[in-house]
Amino acid sequence: MAYKERLDGRKDNELRPMEAKIKVIPNAAGSASFKIGKTWAIAAVYGPREVFPRFLADPKKGLLRCHYSMMPFSGSGERIRPGSSRRAQEIAMVMTKALEPVVDLSEFPNSVVDVFVELPQTDAGTRCAAISAASMALADAGIPMTDMVSAVAVGMADDKIIADLTYKEEHIHEFNEDSKGAPVSDIPIAMIHSTKELSLLQMDGEISKEDLLKALEMGKEAIEKVYQVQVKALKEIYTEA
Amino acid sequence: MSEILIEDRTVVVPGEILAKGMDYLPGENTYRKDDTIHAKVLGLTSVTGRVIKLTPLAGPYFLKSGDKIIGRVIDITMSGWRIDTDTAYSAMLNVRDASTRFIKKEEDLSKILAIDDYVIVVITNVTSQRLIDVSMRDPGLRKVEGGRIIKINCQKVPRVIGKKASMISLIKEKTGCEITVGQNGLVWVKGTPEGEFKVQRAIKMIEENSHLSGLTEKVESFLGGAN
């Protein structure tokens, strides 16, 4: 049982190629597109605007509301049922929790900022791509934020600690000859850049304590790379050509 | 030992460290954490003496008492009109503040301002819960008739107006249009159809290039000798 070389030939801590852009949805207050390998997230921010239904409104501060959706054709060929699902609702909830610590809506009581994320194409790591895109879109919308949030998945496929798992690596026992019945873990993390606090930490699968700490350490470095891509995209359209 | 980490007029992202040490002071859209100053918005830095502040590149309009805005009538109540301000909050225009003349109790308010009419008003009061009162009693405040409404990013309003209204008077002069810019990012333009169209394109151009310098010259050459 061993997973020697990664299926796509990357180094253990190497991320898939990333591409980011802001202002992709002219109608929205702010928007961003974030690609990492074959995973692609598009985020659009609307508001602050009036809250409906009314009872959700908070008279002390504005509300942040996320929406996550995979497009019907975004998977590997099987049609994904459009609309909300238990999974989409959970991811929307963890996204909100990941972004809430940095977004300051105290100036906008009784209002809501809506963040919509759509994924035209997916190959694992969607919630991380969604959070990275949403964070850029919020910044583009000019929402007061104390920091940027960047996210990436780390994990363990068979006996190897790796960053930014693909769908095949999350199902390593199916795709690698030597890894039949091997354990896999997938740990999406989101980090607030300057304080290095984690605002999202989930896990699927099994991993030992030592390996988990090693993986998180790897994640910290990987997230720095995501952050660089985000910052570059936010700044480049404002620099004179 | 204090040091500043950014130059004047650079683009920074939220969370970016602007300065270290207690000798610098956090201005608008920045915050201090321990002994560092961070950016709180995507914006352009502006350093004056020891104060570092940020001019946002985009962002929602903060309702401020004394601002002149353009709004749309969305409802008529017993005591006045409800005005959409193109923000998360609607404003109240009381009958008392709507006109300098006396409006009788039994008068039909929809004859004065109907739903979907646009009005130029000034904000007189904003509460912590963002209940807003507006007034139409001062000179220049009125219901707009004809022309068109253009929506722009409210952070670009100062650029559209220009220093001592230089930009807006340039556009007015070159196109012969009547223009009113609301602080909330709604602009009302009235003139010949060609003129209105030209103004619309000029304003879009200012909005897109607002972070660059030498904008007045660019607008001037765009408008050329048009009249």
Side-chain angles (χ1 to χ4, degrees), chain A residues 124-143:
Chain A
T126 57
R127 71 193 69 193
C128 298
I131 289 169
S132 302
S135 167
M136 287 165 66
L138 283 164
D140 178 36
I143 306 291

Side-chain angles (χ1 to χ4, degrees), chain B residues 11 55 74 90 108 119 134 195 206:
Chain B
V11 178
T55 315
I74 50 171
S90 59
D108 181 2
V119 285
V134 291
I206 298 169

Side-chain angles (χ1 to χ4, degrees), chain A residues 29-232:
Chain A
S31 58
S33 146
F34 184 84
K35 284 184 204 170
I36 181 160
K38 286 181 189 161
T39 302
W40 181 12
I42 297 175
V45 170
Y46 289 84
R49 58 185 181 183
E50 228 176 305
V51 189
F52 290 107
R54 270 273 162 69
F55 67 85
L56 291 175
D58 183 343
K60 289 202 181 81
K61 62 175 172 45
L63 207 68
L64 181 71
R65 197 158 56 179
C66 292
H67 180 92
Y68 165 102
S69 156
M70 272 162 73
M71 289 186 180
F73 50 79
S74 65
S76 53
E78 291 287 295
R79 181 178 138 93
I80 291 156
R81 260 174 74 97
S84 188
S85 61
R86 198 210 64 90
R87 177 177 174 275
Q89 279 181 35
E90 178 201 305
I91 295 178
M93 190 269 279
V94 297
M95 276 172 64
T96 313
K97 302 243 171 191
L99 294 165
E100 242 168 12
V102 300
V103 177
D104 177 11
L105 294 176
S106 54
E107 283 295 317
F108 303 98
N110 287 320
S111 73
V112 63
V113 172
D114 279 309
V115 182
F116 298 96
V117 180
E118 288 285 336
L119 295 120
Q121 182 172 274
T122 61
D123 182 16
T126 57
R127 71 193 69 193
C128 298
I131 289 169
S132 302
S135 167
M136 287 165 66
L138 283 164
D140 178 36
I143 306 291
M145 290 163 85
T146 54
D147 220 320
M148 291 291 291
V149 181
S150 320
V152 83
V154 288
M156 197 155 157
D158 201 342
D159 53 354
K160 208 178 179 68
I161 297 170
I162 49 177
D164 191 21
L165 289 79
T166 60
Y167 179 83
K168 284 184 176 177
E169 284 174 326
E170 283 181 3
H171 301 79
I172 197 72
H173 51 278
E174 287 174 37
F175 294 98
N176 188 33
E177 281 300 310
D178 296 337
S179 302
K180 296 269 181 283
V184 179
S185 56
D186 171 33
I187 308 161
I189 54 179
M191 197 168 71
I192 297 166
H193 182 256
S194 66
T195 60
K196 309 286 175 223
E197 285 170 314
L198 296 183
S199 61
L200 167 79
L201 177 63
Q202 290 186 297
M203 186 174 80
D204 219 352
E206 50 184 285
I207 194 167
S208 69
K209 185 183 165 193
E210 291 73 35
D211 289 337
L212 173 66
L213 292 172
K214 270 187 226 161
L216 289 179
E217 208 49 50
M218 182 186 272
K220 240 184 196 176
E221 282 166 35
I223 274 178
E224 186 60 34
K225 290 178 202 153
V226 178
Y227 176 73
Q228 296 304 339
V229 173
Q230 287 178 307
V231 171
K232 189 167 161 271

Side-chain angles (χ1 to χ4, degrees), chain A residues 48-50 59 104 107-111 139-142 144-148 194-195 227 231 234-235 238 240, chain B residues 11-16 31 33 38-42 57-62 87-89 128-130 211-212:
Chain A
R49 58 185 181 183
E50 228 176 305
D104 177 11
E107 283 295 317
F108 303 98
N110 287 320
S111 73
D140 178 36
M145 290 163 85
T146 54
D147 220 320
M148 291 291 291
S194 66
T195 60
Y227 176 73
V231 171
L234 285 171
K235 286 186 180 178
Y238 293 110
E240 244 166 309
Chain B
V11 178
V12 292
V13 301
E16 201 168 324
Y31 67 100
K33 195 174 183 211
H38 296 258
K40 206 176 173 182
V41 74
L42 178 68
L57 287 164
Y61 170 60
F62 289 82
T87 65
Y89 314 100
S128 66
Q129 287 304 296
R130 303 295 184 273
H211 55 288
L212 306 177

